Amino acid sequence: MEVTCLLLLALIPFHCRGQGVYAPAQAQIVHAGQACVVKEDNISERVYTIREGDTLVLQCLVTGHPRPQVRWTKTAGSASDKFQETSVFNETLRIERIARTQGGRYYCKAENGVGVPAIKSIRVDVQYLDEPVLTVHQTVSDVRGNFYQEKTVFLRCTVNSNPPARFIWKRGSDTLSHSQDNGVDIYEPLYTQGETKVLKLKNLRPQDYASYTCQVSVRNVCGVPDKAVTFRLTNTTAPPALKLSVNETLVVNPGENVTVQCLLTGGDPLPQLQWSHGPGLLPLGALAQSGTLSIPSVQARDSGYYNCTATNNVGNPAKKTVNLLVRSMKNATFQITPDVIKESENIQLGQDLKLSCHVDAVPQEKVTYQWFKNGKPARMSKRLLVTRNDPELPAVTSSLELIDLHFSDYGTYLCVASFPGAPVPDLSVEVNISSETVPPTISVPKGRAVVTVREGSPAELQCEVRGKPRPPVLWSRVDKEAALLPSGLPLEETPDGKLRLEHVSRDMSGTYRCQTARYNGFNVRPREAQVQLNVQFPPEVEPSSQDVRQALGRPVLLRCSLLRGSPQRIASAVWRFKGQLLPPPPSVPVAAEAPDHSELRLDAVTRDSSGSYECSISNDVGSATCLFQVSAKAYSPEFYFDTPNPTRSHKLSKNYSYVLQWTQREPDAVDPLLNYRLSVRQNTCHFEDEKICGYTQDLTDNFDWTRQNALTQNPKRSPNTGPPTDISGTPEGYYMFIETSRPRELGDRARLVSPLYNASAKFYCVSFFYHMYGKHIGSLNLLVRSRNKGPLDTHAWSLSGNKGNVWQQAHVPINPSGPFQIIFEGVRGSGYLGDIAIDDVTLKKGECPRKQMDPNKVVVMPGSGAPRQPHPQLWGPMVIFLLALQR
């Protein structure tokens, strides 16, 4: 149902008429952030210009019934400062400290299922100017058959900016150009990253040795200042050159102190030296100073490439690299490989057998291996061959091969890996070869093929390995796309075959594979088995909460559905009405499929049967509840259109006419509506919300305004200054104030800045209450910041000195010429008894009341028995409250 009302704000009686209607969505984008300018370009495209680091606020004003849902999106990126999100479902899009990458076209899409969605867009242009970078390049060429050489210098200035920067080249304080000096050429090179201008000094002359400045500007757009960089060119200007005090590969023992010097051999101006480590940062405790890199007590983890780079913006940077290798050995492993030619997986007499030994070492190629049999060095023979670097295995792997295995070859073989002459402990691995050495088998213990646990509990998956020797067991996932274990690794080694999981979650459910490793055992095809993990968790149901409306006398069906759970079945469903247990609903026949929902039918809604219904569904692990609120009440009316400007106005009598339209959701589904009651109040900021109506603290002042009430006041606050409560007189009411105690000083300023308003009227009136009590009271100023051609603050109102322990009201007329903000400025007086407070700020279109309030007519603090300030007059911006009354 649509109800259209004509309301005359001079309290002329209004009338309403109604008819059934649904309204399609409509949308309009307005801005309320720190915009430099909002303009329409040549193709009627809305462009919102903002400086990098400021706050972007876009509002999508929507109309329609049912109330449209709003979604913000952005072309080629996110519509939020949280880049992992792809869209924002909110009528207001706010991005703090906007970055250049967040510029682009933003779309507001409003849809309500009636007609086509409404889509509006605006292009956000983020303005910035980085520091310019100046580099110098020199060339020397032969002229006229080597009779003399011509030296040319290129000064390249590069900057990133938006909009494109303007470049100005200066020699000393003189601006350079093609027309004034034939010895210079200024041009823009092709295929450069960022914006670049090159100053070419042709056939270098004595006067060309001077200081050169590259100045870049975006013409003060959004208040972005110009920037500049200077370079002094001399006859000794040269690119950097350097050398190292050590070889490019440096091998050291753990625990040694390492010192590497990076020595400059050329460069003017004096190059800057910098050490870096790839990948990652320099080791903890490392010191890089004046080109010298010192690493005390070096460890294996400090191995890697260390880079020394010299830069002076002349030519290309000079770079030298040291590959630091700290001797280390770890992870000694062995392999038993039966006769490969005969494709055997067992050890058999008369066939070949190969034993392999490997360690992970740094440097790998310096490792030596020794083989022992039964405690004695293994001797080479025609049947016993030792290979230091087996080509069939990982690099630097030693193998001992037994040809035509005899019974006498059975025994214990020991492989010892070492760094000759280095203080690094040897590593060894032992292999026993006998008739009992057999390849592995793997299986799951009886009753352990399926493991069922509850979410949050520990779980243990087990596979048993038999064979001699017994290799480690490797675990992996089978049925997951990511194929990662809970540890985050694709494979996890367990020496005893048990995979232990702590605090299992539902996403850990699935099939796990256990398989034998091909090291520390037989080098044969891995044996594998599988274990199923089932994680039980309580049910999830829908709806969690639902408002059910139905007319009296009509039936209602309530359904609570099981979305997911483990086990995925309903063990029990219990219904309650207002906390009282209801008889169970009819059960499902045995032959039927297990239900995934529970239903309760009310044959007729009555006043007695209206109220709260709960359905508790259990699956033997836990339970979840659906909540239904059943009533015959009408839904709250929704405004879907209103005229921001009066349809008729009578300025002399100050009567204004507005058209307000609202709709009634599903009027036939509830009891008939008898009438509506309409109430209005002014749009006033009471500072009750932490967001303080969109006001922000100015970043250029000395201190901030503070939001507080009587309950949050500092009990040790200064007496005889500041209000005890807000204008309402209640201890819960909030207000804004400035605290003038130390460290504040005389003249310190605190500024509170309103949101940005689009000027749609010639005159506005700012009304507010102020409290200025204390013998050291300074000043309270109201300023208007115009955003028409950049920020410009003008004084609109000012008051100074002690005005008593009372709230007083001010009405300040303003006439902004474009988008504007209002600023409350509190100035600290000569001492700490100077707290100033404000409350109940109202901005309304039109002129202020001609009869200004007597400044002596005050609102006295509660408890004094004095009368209170009457409510403000009715005209101006307002919030409409609508209440539907039923039979």
Side-chain angles (χ1 to χ4, degrees), residues 10-33:
L11 301 184
I12 295 177
F14 62 88
H15 66 277
C16 303
R17 57 183 175 84
Q19 63 183 17
V21 70
Y22 283 95
Q26 298 182 26
Q28 176 188 2
I29 296 177
V30 299
H31 67 89

Side-chain angles (χ1 to χ4, degrees), residues 288-508:
Q289 189 174 12
S290 301
T292 300
L293 174 65
S294 301
I295 307 176
S297 187
V298 70
Q299 301 299 320
R301 62 178 177 272
D302 300 330
S303 295
Y305 290 94
Y306 292 81
N307 307 306
C308 175
T309 305
T311 57
N312 67 349
N313 289 343
V314 179
N316 296 319
K319 182 178 179 180
K320 293 292 183 179
T321 301
V322 177
N323 184 15
L324 178 63
L325 301 177
V326 182
R327 292 185 178 93
S328 64
M329 288 191 298
K330 61 181 180 180
N331 299 335
T333 58
F334 70 89
Q335 288 180 319
I336 301 173
T337 306
D339 198 319
V340 177
I341 297 176
K342 297 182 178 179
E343 299 181 351
S344 175
E345 291 192 346
N346 294 284
I347 297 176
Q348 298 183 28
L349 297 176
Q351 293 185 0
D352 297 346
L353 180 67
K354 182 165 66 174
L355 308 179
S356 304
C357 173
H358 177 80
V359 295
D360 296 330
V362 176
Q364 189 73 53
E365 66 276 4
K366 299 298 182 180
V367 177
T368 63
Y369 296 93
Q370 285 183 292
W371 285 93
F372 297 85
K373 177 186 177 183
N374 296 329
K376 297 181 180 180
R379 296 182 179 181
M380 298 277 289
S381 66
K382 293 181 179 181
R383 290 194 313 104
L384 192 150
L385 304 177
V386 175
T387 304
R388 181 182 180 276
N389 198 353
D390 193 326
E392 300 177 355
L393 295 171
V396 194
T397 297
S398 178
S399 293
L400 183 148
E401 192 168 0
L402 298 172
I403 309 300
D404 187 17
L405 186 67
H406 292 178
F407 181 80
S408 59
D409 295 328
Y410 287 166
T412 300
Y413 291 82
L414 179 68
C415 173
V416 179
S418 61
F419 277 128
V424 179
D426 297 344
L427 289 182
S428 62
V429 63
E430 191 175 79
V431 187
N432 185 52
I433 302 299
S434 69
S435 59
E436 297 178 353
T437 305
V438 294
T441 61
I442 193 168
S443 61
V444 179
K446 185 177 180 181
R448 300 288 296 175
V450 177
V451 177
T452 301
V453 296
R454 293 196 174 188
E455 191 171 34
S457 302
E460 183 178 272
L461 312 184
Q462 182 179 358
C463 285
E464 291 182 345
V465 178
R466 293 182 175 86
K468 188 177 181 182
R470 288 194 300 178
V473 174
L474 302 178
W475 287 90
S476 61
R477 299 289 293 267
V478 176
D479 54 355
K480 294 293 182 182
E481 293 182 1
L484 294 178
L485 292 165
S487 62
L489 301 173
L491 283 175
E492 187 170 335
E493 177 185 320
T494 59
D496 58 356
K498 296 180 180 179
L499 179 64
R500 297 173 176 86
L501 306 174
E502 300 292 336
H503 306 291
V504 296
S505 58
R506 62 193 67 182
D507 58 345
M508 296 183 187

Side-chain angles (χ1 to χ4, degrees), residues 603-772:
D603 294 331
V605 175
T606 63
R607 299 191 185 279
D608 293 337
S609 63
S610 298
S612 176
Y613 289 81
E614 296 180 15
C615 176
S616 179
I617 286 183
S618 171
N619 67 348
D620 293 333
V621 177
S623 61
T625 300
C626 297
L627 179 62
F628 303 91
Q629 191 69 35
V630 179
S631 73
K633 291 183 179 180
Y635 291 99
S636 298
E638 296 179 1
F639 287 99
Y640 78 90
F641 180 79
D642 63 320
T643 55
N645 297 314
T647 57
R648 293 201 306 266
S649 61
H650 306 280
K651 293 185 178 180
L652 294 179
S653 60
K654 294 197 180 294
N655 290 330
Y656 301 90
S657 301
Y658 291 85
V659 175
L660 304 177
Q661 301 181 54
W662 61 86
T663 59
Q664 182 63 51
R665 178 182 169 189
E666 299 181 26
D668 296 332
V670 295
D671 278 358
L673 298 173
L674 299 180
N675 54 58
Y676 292 91
R677 187 175 71 227
L678 188 68
S679 61
V680 299
R681 70 172 173 84
Q682 283 191 295
N683 189 7
T684 301
C685 180
H686 304 281
F687 302 111
E688 299 302 322
D689 187 84
E690 292 182 358
K691 296 181 180 179
I692 57 175
C693 312
Y695 279 74
T696 57
Q697 307 284 355
D698 196 333
L699 301 180
T700 63
D701 56 8
N702 306 111
F703 65 110
D704 289 342
W705 286 79
T706 303
R707 172 179 172 267
Q708 76 169 18
N709 62 13
L711 302 178
T712 60
Q713 287 178 351
N714 186 347
K716 297 182 180 180
R717 67 187 183 96
S718 304
N720 301 320
T721 187
T725 65
D726 76 334
I727 184 63
S728 70
T730 60
E732 296 83 9
Y734 282 88
Y735 56 90
M736 301 296 292
F737 87 108
I738 60 169
E739 172 59 66
T740 58
S741 300
R742 295 181 63 184
R744 303 277 68 85
E745 296 180 355
L746 175 65
D748 280 0
R749 299 173 184 269
R751 286 186 165 194
L752 189 66
V753 185
S754 76
L756 187 66
Y757 301 110
N758 291 315
S760 58
K762 186 176 181 180
F763 298 102
Y764 286 85
C765 183
V766 182
S767 300
F768 60 93
F769 285 89
Y770 60 88
H771 189 282
M772 301 172 67

Side-chain angles (χ1 to χ4, degrees), residues 137 139 150-156 169 171 176-178 181-187 197-205 208 212 233:
H137 300 270
T139 61
E150 183 180 90
K151 187 174 184 180
T152 303
V153 174
F154 301 86
L155 286 86
R156 179 188 295 258
W169 280 101
R171 180 194 287 129
L176 296 174
S177 66
H178 304 280
D181 191 338
N182 294 330
V184 303
D185 189 13
I186 300 174
Y187 64 93
K197 278 290 193 298
V198 174
L199 172 63
K200 180 180 179 181
L201 305 176
K202 301 177 290 186
N203 191 15
L204 208 63
R205 305 160 298 180
D208 292 331
Y212 292 86
L233 181 66

